[in-house]
């Protein structure tokens, strides 16, 4: 039931990466529009060429059918960090189906989310704007503020048939069960299940399905300590995607698969954990000095207290986390086979990403909170459409998840509003732009995002060379040299030799915050 593509079939073609070019915001906006327009013209000309061929072949007096926009399969896991895919360097994990997407697509190895927490991050990549711009900075918010249209609604209005399985999480899924959906999210099919065991009998369609199959979630969890793979929420989400893919329709579709894993509590089926030689795993990134470094940030919000990995068996913790991802990978393989079996793979653009990461014991921290280490804010981003996009390309350009929405608008031939702050990836995907360069820097933020603990505010800016974090109101911060210290152990915030770098990055961060302010309704008069 859960077959996987053989590893021998996965020949991944790596490409050289490099440093970013510099651009200020105003010149950057001009150049990005010129590059994007050039890429769009090239992309649209290919589609138009197909239309012309169809018109030539059409019978006299008949109108040629315009080419279809691609289907879009958008897989977004929950809390999956960047270093969890075999083909991208993790030799301990088995992800043959994600490896296949790497082989047939473009992988952005330096993709950053705009918040290390669920709701703000999802708000950003579903709108192409920053969480602060669309009033979605917190988990547990009363409602979606309707401050910007979701890309799914825009595509639905353009004729896409949209479906979802799993979570949406643009507003509280705890105070309201189920979550109150936006007024217009574009989804015709909405198979909701925020987390596997939450909201049982109150809108959790996954546990409703379990019950219809003669199973009780709590009884299974009590018996095994986990849900068997065929009954797992990740499998159910994939089943619903396959159902949607197999529906008869004449137009293009978009499906959002938003499973809960690999989010804690790290309870995969035991046989997936047993695949790992736990003693041979590398364990978390950790130095003894990490405990003191985290003690310095003790007034800054985080879900767990800093702990030596020996105290929670860091290698086993890592194995359980990776085991959940192996189960996800198997379900990705099932969906890919469904696309092949229905003859839709060539017409389907696939996105694989995650809303944010998890510390998994790095620096003595587990879960998430107000920190910006790569384990939390750097995520997978693979975009595969072999019929139109480059294959086997690994781009080391700095990209944000805000870039997904304008990319999809570009692909669909729809206008990109000036209010969108993301930058289309289409030029890189089609080979029209240098894959080593996209953004001068990326940003992420935490604004009172979690309800428990200190109500912290912090912002991050990361260039190719450095990462700066400002914990606002505390006089504290972090500055890391990402070339010489990729593990982010040596904080240069107070180093006099890096004072100029610190000042420059703080200035640029302040500029970026200002440019992202929501300035209100559009201006229609001089005064």
């Amino acid at each position: 039931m859960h077959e996987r593509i053989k590893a021998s079939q996965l020949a991944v073609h790596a490409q050289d990466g490099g440093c970013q070019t510099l651009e200020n915001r105003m010149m950057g906006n001009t150049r990005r529009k010129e590059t994007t327009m050039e890429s769009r013209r090239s992309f649209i000309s290919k589609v138009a060429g197909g239309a012309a061929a169809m018109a030539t072949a059409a019978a006299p007096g008949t109108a040629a059918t315009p080419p279809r926009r691609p289907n879009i399969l958008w897989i977004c896991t929950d809390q999956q960090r960047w270093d969890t895919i075999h083909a991208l360097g993790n030799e301990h994990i088995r992800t043959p189906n994600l490896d296949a997407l790497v082989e047939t697509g473009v992988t952005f190895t330096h993709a950053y989310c705009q918040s290390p927490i669920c709701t703000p991050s999802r708000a950003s990549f579903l709108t192409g704007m920053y969480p602060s711009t669309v009033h979605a900075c917190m988990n547990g918010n009363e409602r979606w503020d309707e401050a910007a249209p979701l890309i799914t609604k825009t595509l639905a209005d353009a004729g896409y048939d949209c479906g979802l399985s799993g979570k949406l999480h643009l507003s509280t899924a705890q105070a309201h069960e189920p979550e109150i959906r936006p007024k217009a999210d574009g989804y015709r099919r909405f198979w909701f299940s925020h987390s596997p065991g939450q909201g049982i009998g109150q809108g959790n369609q996954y546990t409703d399905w379990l019950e219809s199959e003669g199973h009780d979630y709590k009884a299974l969890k009590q018996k095994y300590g986990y849900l068997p793979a065929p009954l797992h929420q990740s499998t159910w989400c994939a089943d619903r995607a396959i159902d949607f893919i197999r529906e008869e329709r004449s137009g293009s579709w978009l499906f959002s698969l938003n499973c809960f894993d690999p989010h804690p509590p790290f309870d995969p089926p035991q046989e997936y954990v047993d695949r790992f030689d736990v003693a041979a795993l590398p364990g978390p990134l950790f130095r003894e000095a990490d405990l003191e470094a985290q003690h310095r940030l003790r007034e800054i919000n985080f879900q767990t207290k800093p702990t030596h990995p020996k105290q929670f068996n860091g290698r086993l913790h890592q194995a359980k986390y990776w085991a959940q991802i192996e189960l996800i990978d198997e379900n990705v393989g099932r969906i890919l086979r469904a696309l092949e079996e229905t003859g839709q793979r060539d017409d389907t653009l696939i996105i694989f990403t995650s809303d944010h990461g998890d510390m998994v014991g790095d620096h003595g921290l587990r879960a998430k909170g107000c920190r910006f280490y790569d384990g939390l804010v750097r995520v997978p981003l693979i975009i595969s459409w072999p019929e139109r996009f480059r294959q086997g390309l690994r781009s080391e350009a700095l990209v944000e998840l805000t870039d997904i929405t304008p990319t999809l608008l570009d692909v669909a031939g729809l206008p990109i509003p000036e209010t969108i702050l993301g930058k289309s990836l289409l030029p890189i995907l089609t080979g029209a732009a240098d894959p080593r360069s996209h953004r001068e820097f990326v940003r992420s933020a935490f604004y009172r995002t979690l309800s428990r603990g200190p109500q912290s505010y912090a912002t991050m800016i990361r260039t190719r060379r450095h990462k700066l974090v400002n914990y606002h109101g505390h006089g504290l911060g972090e500055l890391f040299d990402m070339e010489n210290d990729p593990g982010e152990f040596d904080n240069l915030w107070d180093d006099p030799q890096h004072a100029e770098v610190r000042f420059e990055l703080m200035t640029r961060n302040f500029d970026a915050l200002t440019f992202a302010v929501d300035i209100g309704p559009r201006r229609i008069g001089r005064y």
Side-chain angles (χ1 to χ4, degrees), residues 4 77 178 214 235 389:
R4 295 181 293 173
T77 61
T235 304
F389 295 163

Side-chain angles (χ1 to χ4, degrees), residues 77-85 95 98 261-263 321 325 328 352-358 375 378-380:
T77 61
D78 194 339
Q79 215 148 314
Q80 182 174 348
R81 48 193 280 162
W82 66 280
D83 54 356
T84 52
I85 297 174
T95 54
L98 295 180
D261 275 4
H263 192 289
Y321 181 67
I325 294 165
I328 290 169
F352 184 88
T353 190
S354 193
D355 56 354
H356 54 79
D358 187 293
R378 186 175 167 192
V379 295

